[in-house]
């Protein structure tokens, strides 16, 4: 498959290891050791942020340091709330009407809330990402974009400042605004933390298409982002891709993740301005039925899974150390 480069040159994309798939009947807990007694209740200790000293290592060598559960069902998207990574936001997908969770990584506490969704599109928010201006963007599986701005830290709330708005007019990519898992079936969004420095030809971010197994270019469009399907990066086989995220500090490396059909694999994705895009698979696996990933400024990575009905109102989390 040929992918157009940022400079207009065609480049051949190299897919991830296709042998990483799982059987259709794979255990939703595969890749995340979520044992009895690992439960955490609302407002419970969910892991504190620790200061890390030392250079970043090869991301594919990140090692798992723990697994637990967070008090949110069907976690599908994760984002930093502040650039320092003190607090993070997670959202549940369809049927949960914007249900979300704020985790204070410094205090090790969590608080549930509901994100305002506005009118005109459904609640299947499948990806979250913090933009350079501090807004948090959410993308539905049907291709509709929203953005929220955090209120004060004391309020722990968010106001809807954009959307819902379609990322494309092409029915091959965007479908019924209240649809679920249709057209490209987007499962994630990742926005470059320093996109203003990339130049006009570069993509500002990517939308992760589960149906195609590809990252699809996003360009700045007014106060939001617009899909540019001319630039696509194949990551894995169709139906396996479930999210992506950028490293929040230089060198701003990009990570894509897979669901249970990819055995919760993670890949570092290198997309040069010209030449060949490459995928390098992590040595370890993410949370069971991995749906979201988040890289923290302190050198940790957190992977979140959608346990559907298996864990009731909880979702599995796996933490990696990357320093």
């Amino acid at each position: 498959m040929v992918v157009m480069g940022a400079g207009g040159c065609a480049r051949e994309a190299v897919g991830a290891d296709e042998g990483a798939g799982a059987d259709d009947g794979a255990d939703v807990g595969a890749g995340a050791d979520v044992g009895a007694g690992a439960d955490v209740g609302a407002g419970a200790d969910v892991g504190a942020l620790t200061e890390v000293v030392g250079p970043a290592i090869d991301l594919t060598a990140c090692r798992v340091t723990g697994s637990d559960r967070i008090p949110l069902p069907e976690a599908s998207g994760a984002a930093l709330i502040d650039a320092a990574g003190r607090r993070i936001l997670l959202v549940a997908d369809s049927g949960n009407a914007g249900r979300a969770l704020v985790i204070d990584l410094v205090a090790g506490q969590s608080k549930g809330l509901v994100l305002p969704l506005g009118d005109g599109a459904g609640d299947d928010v499948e990806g979250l990402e913090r933009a350079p201006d501090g807004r948090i963007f959410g993308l539905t599986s049907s291709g509709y974009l929203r953005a929220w701005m955090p209120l004060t830290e004391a309020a722990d709330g968010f106001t809807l400042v954009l959307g819902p708005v379609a990322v494309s007019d092409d029915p091959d990519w965007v479908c019924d605004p209240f649809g679920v898992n249709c057209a490209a079936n987007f499962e994630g969004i990742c926005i470059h933390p320093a996109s203003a420095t990339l130049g006009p030809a570069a993509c500002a971010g990517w939308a992760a298409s589960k149906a195609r197994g590809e990252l699809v270019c996003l360009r700045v469009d007014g106060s939001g982002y617009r899909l540019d399907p001319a630039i696509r990066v194949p990551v894995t086989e169709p139906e396996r891709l479930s999210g992506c995220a950028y490293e929040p500090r230089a060198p701003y490396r990009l990570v894509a993740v897979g669901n249970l059909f990819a055995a919760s694999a993670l890949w570092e994705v290198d997309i040069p301005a010209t030449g060949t895009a490459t995928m390098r698979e992590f040595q370890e696996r993410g949370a069971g039925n991995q749906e979201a990933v988040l890289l923290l400024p302190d050198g940790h990575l957190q992977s979140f899974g959608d346990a559907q009905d298996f864990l009731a109102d909880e979702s599995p989390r796996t933490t990696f150390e990357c320093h």
Side-chain angles (χ1 to χ4, degrees):
M1 183 171 192
V2 173
V3 178
M4 295 305 295
C9 300
R11 63 180 184 234
E12 183 180 354
V14 178
D17 181 5
E18 293 184 358
D23 294 335
D24 288 356
D27 184 350
V28 73
D33 181 10
V34 184
D39 306 26
V40 292
D45 183 347
V46 289
L49 184 69
T50 56
E51 187 68 24
V52 173
V53 178
I57 64 168
D58 175 1
L59 283 179
T60 64
C62 294
R63 59 188 181 89
V64 172
T65 57
S67 297
D68 60 359
R69 300 173 185 174
I70 61 168
L72 180 75
E74 301 182 89
S76 62
L80 300 177
I81 295 176
D82 56 280
R86 294 173 55 89
R87 297 188 302 153
I88 63 175
L89 175 68
L90 294 107
V91 67
D93 61 14
S94 61
N96 287 286
R99 186 172 172 181
L101 183 74
V102 170
I103 300 178
D104 186 324
L105 294 176
V106 176
Q109 299 290 313
S110 68
K111 181 178 180 180
L113 53 86
V114 176
L115 291 174
L117 299 178
D119 299 320
D123 67 349
D124 193 26
V125 180
E126 291 285 354
L128 287 179
E129 181 74 297
R130 184 182 189 274
D133 63 5
R135 290 180 297 166
I136 296 176
F137 280 84
L139 181 63
T140 68
S141 62
S142 58
Y144 283 75
L145 196 66
R146 296 178 174 92
W148 298 271
M149 183 62 75
L151 302 176
T152 63
E153 187 167 344
D156 266 335
F158 297 82
T159 181
L160 183 66
V161 295
L162 177 73
V165 59
V167 294
S168 174
D169 297 323
D170 188 337
D172 285 341
W173 296 97
V174 173
C175 50
D176 180 349
F178 292 95
V180 174
N181 301 335
C182 47
N185 191 5
F186 293 108
E187 287 284 311
I189 181 172
C190 37
I191 300 170
H192 196 290
S195 54
T197 68
L198 298 178
C203 300
W206 304 89
S209 167
K210 179 180 177 181
R212 295 170 178 261
E214 296 175 336
L215 297 177
V216 187
C217 176
L218 288 173
R219 298 196 181 280
V220 174
D221 181 49
S223 58
Y225 296 90
R226 192 83 171 167
L227 211 63
D228 181 359
I231 303 179
R232 310 192 308 277
V233 177
V235 177
T236 185
E237 295 179 34
E239 304 304 322
R240 293 184 175 188
L241 187 61
S242 61
C244 59
Y246 273 101
E247 190 175 22
R249 294 181 179 174
Y252 307 121
R253 292 171 290 186
L254 177 61
V255 171
V257 299
N259 55 28
L260 80 164
F261 299 116
S264 292
L266 302 93
W267 302 277
E268 181 182 352
V269 184
D270 181 22
I271 309 174
T274 60
T276 302
T278 58
M279 263 56 66
R280 299 173 61 236
E281 188 169 331
F282 280 40
Q283 297 171 17
E284 301 202 54
R285 302 291 177 173
N289 196 25
Q290 183 173 231
E291 288 262 329
V293 63
L294 183 63
L295 286 83
L296 299 170
D298 71 347
H300 287 84
L301 179 151
Q302 293 195 358
S303 161
F304 302 91
D306 178 353
Q308 300 175 6
D309 296 330
F310 290 94
L311 294 180
D313 276 357
E314 296 179 324
S315 296
R317 172 177 62 173
T318 297
T319 299
F320 293 74
E321 192 173 76
C322 302
H323 59 84

